[in-house]
């Protein structure tokens, strides 16, 4: 593993699926954490369903026994960390449209607008219960940020953007990403919002 | 969910499998945590393999991608928390003998000796790399605590003790236990060593 402590140039690669509650929790904290250590965050929306085909994993709520616990843990973890949360009525949800919209915004308007869109999308889904599998709702979220919703609804249908999402997901898997949230920085991987304490320690000390 | 804050009488039910690194980490901390809030700990060795048959889960190291990460995370989490750890050469391992020995010691010598045996067994496996699937090694661990190793080697072969382990595991599953470590106190469930922060908060405040 290679380390690049000190220079502070390497970004934190932040992988997530828009349907992941722990991904949402991480999304509310990652920018502040990174800024504290003068790091940028590279946000990568991935298709966890494609990843699960490789690992044999299932969405948490569908696993016997683990499912009920998980629903309880989502809400409890949100309260524990002081994060707004309401279990969405439609869960889990297809996230291609939201992920493609983010990649389209990134390509057209740069990473800051893309990050703002990702944060707004997570909030729309996990606080307001918006159906983010619906391209129209995704366009509404984009419009609320001053972006051209109609252009985005068109953009997410292009082969370029569809391919881009596949590539992002494949590249993530090639780097060992198997869940959401998943952070990689300076060759060190951290799976789960509950590894943010170790991620913080690593950013501070350059080792663990 | 029922709460019993204040009286401090209800024990923390602590479920674990001797082959679980996170169960070991939890075992090094649970007694001190409980004592801080004047709670007892009821230690319950379970057969995670039987539980996994229901949930469809696999031991972490056998899951594609997750396996390599997990091995890295075991060692890193141990360092982060200042816990002695050496990845055992034989892993995961069959834990019937160790679990039965613990139940036998509990029946014959009470819970304090049983807890001391559990702690020594975890340490033998996760620090010294002892093959705890071997009944002879289990007897050696018991002997090192001043217990009669030969009597224990005999005790773990009795139908009574074998049935007891099945019952403990079945009762755990009936309460929703699906992993290791798993704590239940006052009707609230906590899965994983990384929920000890929430467990502590709950013990302190009686709610979460």
């Amino acid at each position: 593993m290679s380390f690049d402590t000190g220079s502070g140039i390497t970004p934190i690669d932040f992988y997530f699926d828009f349907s992941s509650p722990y991904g949402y929790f991480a999304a509310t904290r990652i920018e502040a954490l990174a800024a504290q250590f003068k790091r940028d965050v590279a946000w990568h929306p991935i298709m966890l369903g494609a990843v699960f085909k490789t690992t044999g994993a299932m969405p948490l709520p569908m696993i016997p026994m683990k499912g009920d616990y998980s629903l309880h843990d989502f809400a409890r973890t949100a309260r524990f960390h002081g994060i707004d949360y309401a279990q969405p009525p439609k869960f889990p949800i297809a996230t291609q449209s939201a992920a493609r919209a983010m990649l389209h915004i990134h390509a057209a308007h740069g990473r800051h607008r893309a990050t703002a869109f990702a944060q707004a999308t997570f909030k729309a889904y996990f606080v307001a219960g918006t159906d983010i599998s619906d391209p129209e709702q995704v366009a509404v979220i984009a419009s609320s940020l001053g972006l051209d919703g109609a252009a985005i609804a068109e953009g997410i249908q292009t082969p370029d953007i569809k391919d881009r999402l596949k590539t992002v997901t494949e590249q993530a898997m090639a780097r060992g990403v198997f869940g959401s949230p998943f952070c990689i920085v300076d060759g060190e991987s951290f799976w789960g919002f509950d590894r943010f304490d170790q991620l913080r320690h690593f950013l501070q000390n350059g080792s663990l």
Side-chain angles (χ1 to χ4, degrees), chain A:
Chain A
M1 257 156 251
S2 67
F3 297 100
D4 182 55
T5 59
S7 86
I9 289 167
T10 325
I12 300 169
D13 283 304
F14 173 51
Y15 298 90
F16 60 92
D17 184 296
F18 279 113
S19 191
S20 159
Y22 303 117
Y24 159 60
F25 301 155
T28 68
R29 298 293 159 90
I30 188 73
E31 286 288 341
L33 178 62
Q36 211 183 324
F37 300 101
K38 306 202 188 326
R39 299 272 187 163
D40 284 329
V41 182
W43 292 56
H44 306 288
I46 59 167
M47 292 289 90
L48 211 50
V51 178
F52 283 0
K53 276 184 195 156
T54 297
T55 60
M58 279 189 293
L60 286 168
M62 295 172 180
I63 302 171
M65 301 207 289
K66 220 176 210 172
D68 287 342
Y69 174 85
S70 294
L71 290 172
H72 185 66
D73 190 64
F74 299 157
R76 191 174 66 185
T77 297
R79 285 196 302 276
F80 182 70
H81 291 280
I83 299 168
D84 282 342
Y85 185 82
Q87 184 61 42
K90 195 171 172 182
F91 179 83
I93 204 166
T95 54
Q96 287 92 331
S97 295
R100 286 175 188 154
M102 183 182 174
L103 295 175
H104 171 82
I105 293 165
H106 190 282
H109 306 285
R111 68 183 185 85
H112 292 295
R113 306 301 295 272
T115 299
F117 170 80
Q119 290 167 327
T121 300
F122 264 130
K123 207 166 172 182
Y125 182 49
F126 285 112
V127 179
T130 303
D131 179 356
I132 60 164
S133 69
D134 178 357
E136 285 186 31
Q137 292 297 322
V138 169
V140 169
I141 295 166
S143 300
S144 75
L145 298 169
L147 295 160
D148 181 347
I152 284 156
E154 213 170 282
I156 65 176
Q157 297 300 334
T158 63
D160 256 18
I161 289 296
K162 290 184 177 180
D163 283 350
R164 179 84 194 119
L165 180 55
K166 275 187 208 155
T167 304
V168 169
T169 301
E170 281 162 12
Q171 284 174 342
M173 290 178 68
R175 297 190 73 191
V177 174
F178 57 81
S180 166
F182 201 103
C183 294
I184 305 179
V185 59
D186 298 340
E188 195 74 12
S189 298
F190 299 87
W191 170 44
F193 183 51
D194 39 30
R195 284 295 176 277
F196 266 41
D197 52 355
Q198 295 190 27
L199 171 58
R200 172 184 298 278
H201 183 95
F202 180 77
L203 290 169
Q204 189 145 32
N205 301 282
S207 64
L208 246 178

